[in-house]
Amino acid sequence: MTISELLSDRGGLFSDDTMLRGDLIVLDAKDGKILFDTSRNKREWINSFANGEILSLWADAKPIRGVYGKCFKPVIKCFVCHDSWKRGEE
């Protein structure tokens, strides 16, 4: 599965009918470096990794500092095979 397949529209009745619900954080499988976070990065940057091959996918929680203290927001994280997003460009 690639990142574009995970983030693509499934063609359902609603405009937000995608396979993924919520935020996605993508990490490089070689060194664990964060490649992008859908809550922070712009669509152009995210699309540059669209051909990346997903190796592992799991649920996690991200701490959010609020007015009344900390809370946690559920996110999906995944490892992407190193440089797999560059293979389609060659």
Side-chain angles (χ1 to χ4, degrees), residues 3-4 6-8 18 20 24 36-38 40-50:
I3 293 173
S4 63
L6 184 64
L7 296 176
S8 68
T18 60
L20 177 73
L24 175 69
F36 69 83
D37 182 349
T38 57
R40 294 182 182 181
N41 297 111
K42 293 185 179 184
R43 180 58 66 186
E44 294 82 25
W45 179 253
I46 293 170
N47 287 340
S48 67
F49 298 100

Side-chain angles (χ1 to χ4, degrees), residues 5-68:
E5 292 171 347
L6 184 64
L7 296 176
S8 68
D9 186 19
R10 293 191 318 183
L13 297 174
F14 303 105
S15 62
D16 63 344
D17 192 17
T18 60
M19 188 179 300
L20 177 73
R21 304 273 182 191
D23 293 331
L24 175 69
I25 298 175
V26 176
L27 303 122
D28 191 349
K30 180 179 179 183
D31 55 8
K33 179 183 166 190
I34 295 176
L35 299 175
F36 69 83
D37 182 349
T38 57
S39 65
R40 294 182 182 181
N41 297 111
K42 293 185 179 184
R43 180 58 66 186
E44 294 82 25
W45 179 253
I46 293 170
N47 287 340
S48 67
F49 298 100
N51 294 328
E53 179 185 347
I54 296 174
L55 298 176
S56 178
L57 190 68
W58 69 96
D60 202 358
K62 182 165 89 170
I64 304 293
R65 183 174 297 180
V67 178
Y68 301 109

